[in-house]
Amino acid sequence: MLRFGILGEHLPHTLSPELHADFFRQQGIDAVYTVLERSKEDVVHILEEMKEHQITGINVTIPYKETLYHMVDVVDPHAEQIGAINTVMQKNGMFYGYNTDYLGAASMFHKAGVSIKGQKVVLLGSGGASRALIYAMHIEGASKITIAARNEQAKQALKDQFPYIQTCDLDKIPAGDILINTTPVGMYPKTGVSPVPSSVFQYFSVAADIIYNPFITEFLRLAQQAGLQIITGLMMLVDQAIASEEIWLDKTLDYTMGTEPHDRLARRFL
């Protein structure tokens, strides 16, 4: 039996075990996927734990994506560009780090029929979640990427890491094509709030949110009300999980396998 899991500090509402159980079932694979809640003091021992319990791979979530980035033996070139990992694989006594968040981000736009190429993209937020989105938008060919946030130090750090981006304050968002929320504003249980007022949406045609609970955030509700095409964060969650399995199982998977669990989970949130 193969062993996998998800590493984080607080994971009471994680959907990852359910998602991966679906994927293993569809492929006829005998595997278990467990929740690995670890404190900041205990997380330093996670690789030893993986060896001891013969865990093939783990997903990594808040707040350990950068921590594990510095712990693994080898970092994938894409993850190196992003500066964080969300997937670890153990192979031949070595630990390899990858980032599939950027793949999930690109995929959610593909499945929504939205092309990034040549588009002006504005990302709300300068936190860790913005990195994979910046990288995804860049490799997908966005003509301009702007980070809108309050934290000047965080914006400068992103500018140093990704010299091709622009930055602005939240109250000075430029007109563009695609507006993406990478902040936790509006996430359960603090729903009903948006990181930007409804007046901002008149300057865009597409709005996306990486939050998936609630399924339709206040940000997306306001965008839809303003006539924009909206893209929810649940597909990003599903497709980054499939990309992780491709790494662990060393095979190409059919991404339509994510449709069934996506639709079932979406109904749960509605």
Side-chain angles (χ1 to χ4, degrees):
M1 177 183 289
L2 296 173
R3 299 181 183 279
F4 304 94
I6 179 165
L7 172 69
E9 189 172 23
H10 303 294
L11 301 169
H13 304 296
T14 180
L15 299 178
S16 292
E18 189 173 343
L19 279 176
H20 287 282
D22 267 318
F23 300 153
F24 293 138
R25 176 184 53 78
Q26 291 183 53
Q27 298 172 82
I29 293 174
D30 185 18
V32 294
Y33 188 101
T34 57
V35 173
L36 303 168
E37 279 194 343
R38 298 294 181 269
S39 67
K40 289 183 175 67
E41 292 74 27
D42 291 338
V43 74
V44 295
H45 305 297
I46 191 64
L47 300 185
E48 299 167 25
E49 190 177 338
M50 287 180 68
K51 281 186 177 180
E52 181 181 352
H53 297 287
Q54 297 183 320
I55 299 173
T56 299
I58 60 171
N59 288 124
V60 184
T61 189
I62 297 171
Y64 299 135
K65 294 184 180 185
E66 293 176 35
T67 302
L68 269 290
Y69 175 86
H70 296 290
M71 288 174 59
V72 296
D73 299 302
V74 181
V75 175
D76 173 77
H78 296 288
E80 191 170 9
Q81 289 287 315
I82 295 167
I85 63 174
N86 76 320
T87 302
V88 176
M89 180 177 68
Q90 178 181 190
K91 185 177 181 181
N92 299 327
M94 299 274 285
F95 291 93
Y96 298 81
Y98 305 84
N99 192 304
T100 66
D101 283 334
Y102 84 94
L103 294 170
S107 183
M108 75 177 184
F109 284 95
H110 293 167
K111 288 186 173 177
V114 174
S115 174
I116 302 298
K117 190 173 179 61
Q119 301 295 292
K120 296 177 182 177
V121 179
V122 175
L123 298 175
L124 303 175
S126 56
S130 65
R131 291 181 178 183
L133 271 293
I134 291 171
Y135 185 69
M137 296 304 100
H138 178 63
I139 65 173
E140 287 291 304
S143 63
K144 183 180 180 182
I145 302 170
T146 303
I147 303 301
R150 294 189 179 91
N151 190 317
E152 294 298 330
Q153 186 175 359
K155 283 190 292 187
Q156 187 56 53
L158 288 176
K159 181 72 173 173
D160 292 342
Q161 183 177 353
F162 306 101
Y164 48 81
I165 67 171
Q166 306 295 316
T167 64
C168 70
D169 293 332
L170 275 174
D171 59 354
K172 296 180 180 178
I173 295 174
D177 302 297
I178 300 171
L179 183 64
I180 306 173
N181 178 38
T182 75
T183 78
V185 177
M187 183 187 296
Y188 178 86
K190 298 180 180 179
T191 60
V193 290
S194 169
V196 291
S198 56
S199 57
V200 171
F201 296 111
Q202 64 183 303
Y203 304 111
F204 297 88
S205 57
V206 177
D209 202 328
I210 67 170
I211 294 171
Y212 60 83
N213 185 7
F215 185 59
I216 303 295
T217 59
E218 179 69 5
F219 171 79
L220 291 181
R221 188 190 71 79
L222 292 174
Q224 191 171 45
Q225 195 173 59
L228 279 67
Q229 177 180 351
I230 65 170
I231 302 173
T232 71
L234 188 55
M235 189 54 77
M236 176 178 169
L237 174 75
V238 171
D239 284 355
Q240 64 79 28
I242 294 175
S244 291
E245 289 210 4
E246 288 188 320
I247 292 167
W248 296 331
L249 303 174
D250 192 25
K251 67 178 184 178
T252 301
L253 298 177
D254 180 356
Y255 275 60
T256 60
M257 70 187 284
T259 303
E260 176 192 333
H262 171 276
D263 292 348
R264 176 167 44 75
L265 292 170
R267 286 194 295 274
R268 181 191 300 178
F269 289 128
L270 291 174

